[in-house]
Amino acid sequence: MSKSNMNMLQYLQSRTQVDFDNLDIDGMASMLRLIQPLLSDVAMGQPPKDLMDAYNELINPHRAGLLKKAAALAHEIHKEYPEVPEEQLAYEIAVLPNITGCILVMANPRYAYSIKKTFDNAQRLYALSTRLQPNFDTSRLIVKVASTWEGLQACRKLTPLGVKTLATTAFSLEQCILAAEVGCVYVSPFLCELKAAVDPNYDDTDPIFDVVIDAQNYYRQHGYPIRMKACAALNTDQILQLAGVDAFTAPVEQLQELQDREGPPPPSFFDNDGEEKANGTANGEVNGTTNGHANGETNGYANGETNGQTNGHANGETNGHVAKGHSKKNLEKISFIDDESAYRLAFANSNDGKGQMKTTQAMNIFSEYQLKAEAMMRDPDLVKIG
């Protein structure tokens, strides 16, 4: 196939591991059948993208039986976790899958500023996973933790225990550096701020392309095994501008658009990189992601991942950004892991404080959905949820 007439999904997966979020196993199977001719290898995983997806799916009436079972088990074992509200425990049980593959579960975002609570939450998720399925392989479970100082210090304590973590809602190079130092296996920079995913009238005009590029190059230069797993693009042009990143997570709708799109690929910021191959993972792999539950049920894909808007432009231009290749910088090695004041100062000053603002905003949005989910689990008549 000539470069002037390429399929954009095929082009992307030739340079980047493509992960897709789909909380409905039937929907995922349909998508796989659709794009199978373009894929060389398909690995099945299953994380909910975020709390919004999980909540929006769990309120569907057909999940009433699942919620009842989760609430009943939470009531039965709550005495073992007296420090946790029963409705929160029930929600954690409801979102723990029971199917094969890699599982990513988000720690309670309301604990984002507490090392102890985040640490305890992650350990509880591991304990619940083996309680729900005694033969569960805990190496499959990755806990998504907020990229706050406290969240990442909790990851530092979890790493020696064999608890795998993903630093989520990262919006600055400082967060990405600290995530590598504390031993996270993945970091997920949100290309665009979360508000753009929940407010159809809001458009983030300052996507963090530079953070994604510089962080991946920083990891390569200094030998960190952490992998970049970017997400939260508002449109497919933004995704294509990052062809060459380790991995990119996108909703099914955007992958469908890429599958339907032919032509010359737009420029990528990684065009001058030359080190696109992810650490030990061959390019071309596409991971489907779903979310299951203790009783083997799976979630359907829910709104909340993106706002559905398409703000793409011709020639690879997106929101005023045109990818023209990105020459590698020699990034000096920095350490924040034992210097909280230096980290907080650098983070606050990074990009005029925008990273700090976006992280706080994301935690506030996710916390709203956490509270909604817990309120849902308190409903005594779960069958009528809808």
Side-chain angles (χ1 to χ4, degrees):
M1 183 179 295
S2 69
K3 193 172 182 180
S4 62
N5 188 32
M6 294 187 69
N7 177 276
M8 290 300 99
L9 180 58
Q10 187 175 29
Y11 161 73
L12 179 65
Q13 61 95 26
S14 74
R15 300 186 64 178
T16 290
Q17 176 182 301
V18 180
D19 299 339
F20 70 91
D21 280 322
N22 189 350
L23 304 183
D24 176 4
I25 195 132
D26 294 327
M28 186 180 73
S30 297
M31 184 63 185
L32 287 175
R33 284 194 296 270
L34 178 67
I35 65 176
Q36 184 65 45
L38 300 178
L39 309 183
S40 55
D41 297 290
V42 178
M44 304 284 282
Q46 58 222 14
K49 176 67 172 71
D50 50 44
L51 285 167
M52 297 184 298
D53 286 347
Y55 169 76
N56 286 330
E57 170 56 24
L58 289 176
I59 62 175
N60 286 339
H62 68 288
R63 297 300 175 205
L66 169 64
L67 299 187
K68 276 188 170 182
K69 292 177 181 179
L73 180 57
H75 182 73
E76 177 185 339
I77 68 174
H78 184 234
K79 60 183 179 293
E80 299 176 31
Y81 303 98
E83 74 283 1
V84 182
E86 187 172 318
E87 57 271 20
Q88 179 185 330
L89 185 61
Y91 176 71
E92 291 175 359
I93 292 170
V95 297
L96 276 171
N98 186 32
I99 53 179
T100 60
C102 180
I103 303 166
L104 281 77
V105 180
M106 189 169 183
N108 191 332
R110 298 177 66 207
Y111 297 163
Y113 300 98
S114 170
I115 297 174
K116 183 180 186 305
K117 289 183 177 180
T118 300
F119 176 82
D120 290 346
N121 191 179
Q123 286 204 307
R124 186 169 59 252
L125 289 169
Y126 265 64
L128 288 172
S129 66
T130 54
R131 180 157 196 154
L132 296 170
Q133 185 180 344
N135 295 325
F136 181 80
D137 178 5
T138 55
S139 68
R140 294 168 42 212
L141 180 60
I142 301 174
V143 181
K144 300 168 68 174
V145 175
S147 295
T148 58
W149 169 264
E150 295 82 1
L152 293 175
Q153 288 297 324
C155 295
R156 180 184 187 179
K157 295 177 64 178
L158 291 164
T159 297
L161 301 178
V163 177
K164 295 180 180 179
T165 56
L166 176 152
T168 188
T169 58
F171 293 96
S172 73
L173 181 59
E174 290 74 17
Q175 290 168 298
C176 294
I177 290 173
L178 186 55
E181 286 195 280
V182 300
C184 294
V185 296
Y186 287 106
V187 62
S188 269
F190 280 40
L191 185 61
C192 296
E193 59 190 279
L194 190 58
K195 183 178 179 180
V198 297
D199 184 351
N201 297 315
Y202 183 79
D203 183 20
D204 183 358
T205 59
D206 190 24
I208 58 166
F209 290 107
D210 57 334
V211 172
V212 176
I213 299 157
D214 287 344
Q216 180 163 302
N217 287 339
Y218 183 89
Y219 298 155
R220 298 290 196 275
Q221 289 174 19
H222 300 293
Y224 286 107
I226 186 172
R227 296 194 63 218
M228 179 68 58
K229 192 177 180 69
C231 65
L234 295 183
N235 54 67
T236 55
D237 276 339
Q238 290 181 340
I239 297 174
L240 291 170
Q241 285 180 291
L242 287 177
V245 71
D246 286 344
F248 203 103
T249 302
V252 171
E253 293 85 351
Q254 288 181 343
L255 294 182
Q256 175 68 69
E257 184 179 336
L258 288 168
Q259 196 271 337
D260 293 339
R261 182 172 168 182
E262 302 279 343
S268 166
F269 286 107
F270 285 98
D271 282 347
N272 292 340
D273 182 40
E275 286 189 27
E276 295 163 3
K277 190 170 183 178
N279 300 326
T281 302
N283 293 331
E285 181 179 344
V286 176
N287 290 335
T289 63
T290 63
N291 182 47
H293 297 283
N295 63 357
E297 294 185 65
T298 55
N299 280 337
Y301 182 80
N303 293 330
E305 176 126 14
T306 66
N307 62 6
Q309 296 183 8
T310 300
N311 300 317
H313 303 282
N315 301 320
E317 182 176 353
T318 309
N319 289 331
H321 298 264
V322 181
K324 296 180 180 178
H326 189 87
S327 298
K328 280 191 174 182
K329 301 176 184 177
N330 289 320
L331 298 167
E332 180 183 356
K333 190 171 184 178
I334 304 171
S335 180
F336 292 119
I337 192 169
D338 291 316
D339 196 339
E340 180 178 356
S341 60
Y343 171 80
R344 290 192 184 279
L345 182 61
F347 182 39
N349 290 330
S350 179
N351 196 20
D352 297 324
K354 290 181 181 178
Q356 190 174 53
M357 178 276 293
K358 292 178 179 182
T359 300
T360 301
Q361 176 197 89
M363 288 303 98
N364 289 339
I365 292 172
F366 280 143
S367 292
E368 289 178 11
Y369 278 87
Q370 177 75 30
L371 289 172
K372 287 180 181 179
E374 292 178 14
M376 172 184 65
M377 300 308 296
R378 285 194 298 269
D379 191 324
D381 191 8
L382 297 175
V383 176
K384 295 184 178 180
I385 289 177

